[in-house]
Amino acid sequence: MKAAVLMAGLLSVLVAAPVAAADARVEVAGPATATAAASAARTTFPTEFSLPDGFQPEGIAISGTSAFFGSRASGAIYRSDLRTGKGRIINRGSGTPSLGLKVDFRGRLFVAGGTGGDARVINARTGKLIARYRLARGESFVNDVLVTHKAAYFTDSTNPVLYKLSFGPGGTLLRGAVRIPLRGAIDYADGINVNGIAPTPDGRALLVVQSNTGKLFRVNPRTGVTTQVDTGGESLANGDGLLLQGRILYVVRNSANKVAVLRLNRRGTSGKVIDELTDPRFDIPTTVAPFRNRLYLPNARFSTTPTPTTPYNVVAIRRH
C-alpha cells in the first residue's frame, strides 16, 4: 500500500471513549457456511478473473462464494461471484480510499479508509452504508482491519496506534472507536509502517507487520505493548496483508511478488518461514483471503501508472 507518510508521535487522545479492557480472547469471525462449501465442491471456479478497468484494487474479503474488493482510487466496493468471476459495483464509495476489508458473519463489511482517516461499515448484500467512523484527525493512513466477535481493529501506517471499534450486545455497532497507542518494541519511521493485522494462534493477542522494516510484532490488545516476533532473522519487508489459518501465517510481500508462509508457535511469539509462494501472474498483490484450498489475491499493480482504462485482476493460487 503506497503513501508518502511521516512518523507521528505516540497518540493517546480518545476518539470517543477511554480504551476499554480488551477481550479475554481475540476470536476471528466465522467462516463460510457448510452449504456454500458443498455447493463450491460441485463447481469449477476460475483461477483468475478481471476487476473493472481503472479500479485500483487493494483489499479483499470473502464470504460464502462472494468476494469483495475495495478501490484505493474512488473507495468503491466491487462484489464478485467466485463461481464465475463476474461481479458488479455495490457501493460507489466516498471518493477516499477503501483499503483493507473484512466481512463478519452478520454480513457486515468493514472497510479501512486510508488517507480518509475513517472506517466504514457496509451491508455486504445491498452495498448500503451502515455506519462511518472518524478515526483520525490530521495526517493518517488507515490501512487494514481485523474483525473478531467482539471488536474490529484498524491499523494506521502513519501513526503508532490501533483503532478499536467495540461491539455491543448481539454485535451491535457502538457510537465511537478508541485509540490504542502502540509502544514497546515498535518504532515508527518514514514510509509505510504497520500494515496488515491478524490474531495470534491462541487468540489472546494481535499480530501486525511493519512494511518498511520487515518486522512482525505481537500486540497486547489491552495495553498496546508490542514485542517483536522472532522469525529467525527472516525479513518480511514490504509485508502487506496477513492471513492466519491455524498456526500458519501468510504474509503478502507486495512488491516482492511473494507470499511468505510462517509456522508460528501457539502464542505467536516466534515463527519460522517454511515456504514462499509466488506465481508468474502476480503483479504486486496486496492482500489475501482464503476459499477452500485456494488463496485469492488482487493485483494492485503499484508499478503501473493508473489510468481509467488500466486493467486489474485477481489470481487464485493453492494454499500451502
Side-chain angles (χ1 to χ4, degrees):
M1 302 179 183
K2 281 190 171 181
V5 296
L6 299 172
M7 176 193 160
L10 212 60
L11 300 179
S12 60
V13 180
L14 298 183
V15 173
V19 176
D23 313 329
R25 186 176 179 85
V26 179
E27 298 177 347
V28 179
T33 64
T35 300
S39 174
R42 300 190 295 269
T43 307
T44 301
F45 287 54
T47 59
E48 181 177 350
F49 54 88
S50 297
L51 297 175
D53 288 351
F55 188 73
Q56 299 184 49
E58 179 76 28
I60 179 175
I62 292 177
S63 177
T65 57
S66 294
F68 301 87
F69 304 91
S71 168
R72 63 184 187 274
S74 66
I77 302 297
Y78 183 82
R79 184 176 62 205
S80 292
D81 187 333
L82 293 177
R83 295 168 295 187
T84 63
K86 297 179 180 180
R88 66 183 182 89
I89 298 288
I90 62 168
N91 183 290
R92 296 197 173 278
S94 60
T96 56
S98 290
L99 302 184
L101 307 176
K102 291 294 186 300
V103 61
D104 72 2
F105 66 92
R106 296 181 176 90
R108 301 179 301 195
L109 184 68
F110 292 77
V111 182
T115 52
D118 66 347
R120 298 186 294 279
V121 185
I122 291 170
N123 185 309
R125 182 179 63 84
T126 66
K128 181 180 178 181
L129 179 69
I130 299 172
R132 180 176 181 268
Y133 297 87
R134 169 60 57 189
L135 301 180
R137 302 290 179 182
E139 186 177 15
S140 64
F141 198 65
V142 182
N143 211 337
D144 208 353
V145 55
L146 168 68
V147 178
T148 76
H149 287 293
K150 295 183 179 181
Y153 296 88
F154 295 83
T155 63
D156 189 328
S157 297
T158 300
N159 304 301
V161 63
L162 295 180
Y163 306 102
K164 180 182 179 182
L165 172 60
S166 296
F167 302 150
T172 55
L173 297 174
L174 301 181
R175 184 177 297 274
V178 298
R179 295 172 182 250
I180 305 174
L182 297 177
R183 53 198 180 93
I186 202 164
D187 184 20
Y188 268 48
D190 290 342
I192 298 295
N193 288 276
V194 165
N195 197 331
I197 183 170
T200 55
D202 66 3
R204 297 187 180 278
L206 307 172
L207 296 169
V208 295
V209 64
Q210 191 174 20
S211 298
N212 50 1
T213 65
K215 296 177 181 179
L216 186 68
F217 293 92
R218 185 181 188 272
V219 183
N220 183 320
R222 294 189 304 276
T223 65
V225 171
T226 63
T227 53
Q228 187 175 344
V229 177
D230 179 6
T231 59
E234 294 280 355
S235 173
L236 301 173
N238 304 117
D240 203 323
L242 299 183
L243 170 66
L244 183 74
Q245 299 280 274
R247 285 173 54 186
I248 298 296
L249 180 70
Y250 295 94
V251 182
V252 182
R253 297 183 58 203
N254 53 36
S255 60
N257 285 315
K258 296 176 181 178
V259 180
V261 184
L262 288 81
R263 187 182 302 279
L264 302 174
N265 66 1
R266 182 168 174 77
R267 294 184 64 240
T269 58
S270 66
K272 180 181 180 181
V273 176
I274 59 172
D275 202 355
E276 202 169 58
L277 308 178
T278 189
D279 190 281
R281 299 170 298 166
F282 282 176
D283 193 352
I284 312 186
T286 44
T287 52
V288 58
F291 184 79
R292 299 179 68 198
N293 65 340
R294 292 179 178 179
L295 302 176
Y296 287 79
L297 302 97
N299 278 319
R301 308 193 70 192
F302 286 150
S303 61
T304 299
T305 301
T307 72
T309 58
T310 301
Y312 293 94
N313 70 343
V314 183
V315 298
I317 62 173
R318 292 185 65 86
R319 72 169 75 183
H320 173 84

